[in-house]
Amino acid sequence: MTDFNMESGDLADGRQILYYSTGPGTGRAAYADKRDLGDRVSAGELRYDVLRDEWVAVSAGRSGRPNLPVACPLCPSEGDELTEIPAPDYEVAVFENRFPSFGGFAEPGPLAPTETPANLESSVPASGRCEVVVFSDDHDSSLVDLSPERVALIVRALAQRTAELSARGDIAQVFCFENRGVEVGVTLHHPHGQIYGYPYVTPQTRKYLAAAKRHKETTGRDLFDDIIASESAGPRVIAENDHWIAFTPYAARWPFEVQVYPKARFADLAELPEEYIDAFAPLYLEILKRCDAAYPGEQMPYMAGWHQAPVGEDREWGRLRLELVSIRRGPGRVKFLASSESVMGGWVHDLGPETSADILKGAL
């Protein structure tokens, strides 16, 4: 097992901060947060949409979060420039989001996936956890610029956080993700991602679980294994090694969409063996480099997130995989989610999955 170190400290308002490094203990957690932050911002509430059968987080406190341009809160603290990270340097840092959508602990446990409130206007506290994952102390870098060793450390940090959050008892699903580019609404350029510990199973995941269960009942086979087998023989494979395969799916929705599957079944990041983590890092960096080379001179804005199985009910139907999508549809052009996509959920692909896959395959 590859060795890594984790150190835990506290920020001025009581939020936890964790430092991950590839070597032995560094003492970074001993640096005190000297800011006066006042009262801790609390999460809002979850309101149930009876028509869509979905929970919606209402969190007015998030309106106070940093927005561009702003002094970067993710850089190391230096002199009088005090940030969210008290240490003067770090490799990977994870801390509780100061402006969370979900926060606090709920009893007796997570909301059941099919739990329906008794009336039309029902709400509960938005329990759960929101964390920020900072990939590097270099403000001007991006994930694509990092070494395979650093990317592997990031994945190990996400795996550790997934395991810890899953063990809390009130979190139903853990979602690790990154947004890059002002086109998708990024408010800070410093390379970072986030982790949401949802107190419910998300609507998209419920659809995937139902499809996987239905496929098994109909064919006797695993849906995700069948998808990998089908895509492996097709024209949309972007990158592949012994442990992973990346492809643009047959019915992709976004102009650029890449699914990255481990070739063996794992429920979540916490189950990934070390050799899979090490093999993922260079393959993912290749994908990111292809994205940035698709249209020379233009960084590809993207949203990337790990699909993970629920913590409890229906976990056996989930499978770990990463999804990267971009609204870039051409040089200087982006796809807006117009009425068909936003109101009806009826997607229209602007390029054609084979075309966008060919662009990525020919980008390096």
Side-chain angles (χ1 to χ4, degrees):
M1 179 175 180
T2 302
D3 184 38
F4 75 96
N5 184 71
M6 182 189 74
E7 301 168 81
S8 177
D10 293 310
L11 299 177
D13 56 0
R15 289 175 294 131
Q16 184 183 35
I17 183 167
L18 301 165
Y19 296 95
Y20 294 84
S21 58
T22 52
T26 63
R28 292 186 177 105
Y31 285 90
D33 184 358
K34 300 177 182 179
R35 298 171 298 171
D36 182 4
L37 297 178
D39 293 335
R40 184 168 175 173
V41 178
S42 61
E45 63 180 4
L46 291 174
R47 295 186 179 184
Y48 182 71
D49 186 326
V50 294
L51 189 59
R52 293 190 177 95
D53 185 26
E54 296 176 3
W55 290 97
V56 177
V58 179
S59 182
R62 284 180 52 77
S63 61
R65 65 190 188 275
N67 204 345
L68 294 169
V70 67
C72 181
L74 306 183
C75 287
S77 292
E78 182 177 1
D80 294 331
E81 296 293 330
L82 304 178
T83 73
E84 288 281 69
I85 304 176
D89 60 66
Y90 59 88
E91 293 180 56
V92 174
V94 178
F95 58 87
E96 290 182 77
N97 199 318
R98 188 179 174 189
F99 305 97
S101 300
F102 309 94
F105 192 85
E107 294 289 356
L111 298 167
T114 57
E115 184 176 333
T116 302
N119 57 65
L120 295 182
E121 294 188 1
S122 296
S123 66
V124 296
S127 60
R129 176 107 159 183
C130 288
E131 299 181 341
V132 177
V133 184
V134 194
F135 303 151
S136 168
D137 60 6
D138 182 358
H139 177 82
D140 296 319
S141 66
S142 182
L143 183 59
V144 69
D145 302 317
L146 303 180
S147 68
E149 292 76 18
R150 177 61 59 84
V151 174
L153 177 62
I154 293 167
V155 175
R156 290 185 172 94
L158 299 181
Q160 190 276 333
R161 298 311 302 144
T162 294
E164 182 164 316
L165 295 176
S166 297
R168 278 177 36 139
D170 67 331
I171 287 177
Q173 185 177 5
V174 180
F175 179 48
C176 307
F177 63 97
E178 180 199 5
N179 301 323
R180 189 186 76 164
V182 294
E183 296 92 338
V184 297
V186 168
T187 57
L188 294 171
H189 287 312
H190 196 115
H192 71 287
Q194 298 184 62
I195 301 173
Y196 276 12
Y198 294 106
Y200 57 85
V201 177
T202 60
Q204 287 283 51
T205 299
R206 287 163 54 191
K207 290 181 182 179
Y208 299 142
L209 298 174
K213 185 176 182 180
R214 185 170 59 249
H215 187 81
K216 182 71 172 182
E217 292 172 345
T218 303
T219 69
R221 300 190 304 271
D222 181 88
L223 174 60
F224 300 108
D225 284 343
D226 281 359
I227 290 173
I228 291 174
S230 175
E231 294 289 356
S232 295
R236 295 175 299 275
V237 175
I238 308 300
E240 186 175 6
N241 61 27
D242 289 344
H243 296 302
W244 297 85
I245 183 169
F247 55 87
T248 295
Y250 172 73
R253 301 185 302 174
W254 301 83
F256 286 91
E257 182 173 333
V258 180
Q259 300 276 345
V260 187
Y261 276 65
K263 293 181 178 180
R265 186 195 180 282
F266 306 103
D268 57 25
L269 287 165
E271 292 187 0
L272 267 187
E274 294 295 320
E275 61 270 22
Y276 275 79
I277 295 176
D278 290 332
F280 170 80
L283 180 132
Y284 190 49
L285 287 171
E286 177 189 337
I287 293 167
L288 295 180
K289 290 174 183 176
R290 290 184 180 278
C291 287
D292 280 353
Y295 298 113
E298 297 188 43
Q299 270 196 336
M300 183 79 79
Y302 65 77
M303 297 169 282
W306 287 98
H307 291 278
Q308 305 199 82
V311 174
E313 186 176 344
D314 290 332
R315 181 175 173 84
E316 69 272 22
W317 301 112
R319 180 160 175 164
L320 176 72
R321 63 201 187 279
L322 181 137
E323 178 178 345
L324 182 149
V325 301
S326 177
I327 60 175
R328 176 73 70 215
R329 62 183 179 91
R333 295 183 294 168
V334 298
K335 176 183 178 65
F336 294 98
L337 300 190
S339 297
S340 183
E341 290 90 0
S342 297
V343 180
M344 287 289 101
W347 285 75
V348 179
H349 198 290
D350 299 289
L351 297 174
E354 288 74 24
T355 299
S356 61
D358 285 342
I359 291 172
L360 292 180
K361 288 191 292 184
L364 291 181

